[in-house]
Amino acid sequence: MTNQSHQFHRGFTPEQIDTSRPHPARMYDYYLGGSDNYEVDREAAERLMSMTPDVRVSARANRDFLGRAVRTVVREHGIRQIIDVGTGIPTSPNTHELARSVSPDVRVVYVDNDPIVAAHADAKLLNSGNAEFVLADIRRPEEILEAPAVRELIDFDQPVALLLIAVLHFVGDAEDPAGVVSALSGALPSGSCLVLTHATLDFHEEWEVDERADVYKNATAQLSLRDRAGILPFFDGFELVDPGLVQLSRWRPDDPPRDAEPGRVALYGGVGVKP
């Protein structure tokens, strides 16, 4: 493994990091109780949590799902390489730690569009080897697939797990999220897996969508909530594994589940396998 991507993301100047607007990755870090966020992120997060207390419950459920899904694709589907798009602020256990708890030889490429994430990558994501970071935006999938770090670490002749965890609801309909997923997944061979979560109002019909989405209007990415029918097509070309596309807390829950109120979780999740 070379240090090419390490050199690429080191040495950001303050001007390159936008702290004037909330960033979804830093807000998510705050939901999880992290400290890698700014006042503008905390203010936006607190505003949303005041309207929607289940946001923090949902963030924890999303993190727990990540662990169950990653261990599943490594253990049950033989995955040994992962592309994690929209990885967010590093929070242990990270994807490589989860995967290597099952098999120590898993290779991981992390992708995010936030320089703050890049700044933490060396210390928290790449220090154990067989892991790389790419600073790129999901809206430009070709840049991800053609990135030197991806080409260096990922063998597209062997199955790959593509992780799209809580990222597609920041891609608006006009930005063609289905086309983005198709472009990324189209590069993957048979036996590959798609692991995806997406925010929804299906379990909280009493919420006013415009009011919640307004919190993200000044953020670096807008919020596009979708129902199950709007999320399911992202799995086109994949066969969903049991139990399908379901509320996160109902996807192979731990026994007993960590969350005492699983019905409060406002996200869908699923794992698909490419035939």
Side-chain angles (χ1 to χ4, degrees), residues 16-58:
Q16 291 174 283
I17 299 175
D18 185 359
T19 60
S20 66
R21 297 187 295 162
H23 191 285
R26 301 193 300 260
M27 291 173 66
Y28 182 63
D29 175 71
Y30 183 70
Y31 299 146
L32 292 173
S35 58
D36 294 315
N37 47 71
Y38 294 92
E39 184 176 356
V40 66
D41 307 307
R42 295 189 287 273
E43 288 177 351
E46 286 289 352
R47 182 181 166 203
L48 187 59
M49 287 190 295
S50 70
M51 297 184 289
T52 312
D54 292 352
V55 166
R56 182 157 268 167
V57 171
S58 297

Side-chain angles (χ1 to χ4, degrees), residues 138-182:
I138 189 174
R139 298 167 187 81
R140 295 185 291 276
E142 67 285 350
E143 293 183 9
I144 296 173
L145 294 172
E146 295 169 7
V150 172
R151 290 296 170 182
E152 175 188 331
L153 208 59
I154 302 298
D155 178 1
F156 285 96
D157 291 327
Q158 299 297 322
V160 180
L162 172 64
L163 272 55
L164 301 177
I165 301 296
V167 63
L168 285 174
H169 47 244
F170 296 114
V171 181
D173 291 341
E175 297 168 310
D176 189 19
V180 166
V181 178
S182 179

Side-chain angles (χ1 to χ4, degrees), residues 79-199:
I79 292 295
R80 295 296 180 268
Q81 43 187 5
I82 297 172
I83 303 175
D84 184 351
V85 182
T87 184
I89 302 291
T91 303
S92 188
N94 293 290
T95 297
H96 70 280
E97 295 166 317
L98 295 164
R100 292 173 190 171
S101 70
V102 179
S103 180
D105 58 341
V106 178
R107 304 185 301 279
V108 180
V109 175
Y110 292 98
V111 181
D112 204 281
N113 70 345
D114 184 3
I116 292 288
V117 178
H120 288 285
D122 272 346
K124 297 184 178 180
L125 298 178
L126 311 183
N127 57 355
S128 60
N130 270 339
E132 282 286 2
F133 180 86
V134 174
L135 185 69
D137 196 302
I138 189 174
R139 298 167 187 81
R140 295 185 291 276
E142 67 285 350
E143 293 183 9
I144 296 173
L145 294 172
E146 295 169 7
V150 172
R151 290 296 170 182
E152 175 188 331
L153 208 59
I154 302 298
D155 178 1
F156 285 96
D157 291 327
Q158 299 297 322
V160 180
L162 172 64
L163 272 55
L164 301 177
I165 301 296
V167 63
L168 285 174
H169 47 244
F170 296 114
V171 181
D173 291 341
E175 297 168 310
D176 189 19
V180 166
V181 178
S182 179
L184 290 170
S185 63
L188 308 182
S190 174
S192 295
C193 295
L194 173 61
V195 181
L196 183 152
T197 71
H198 196 295

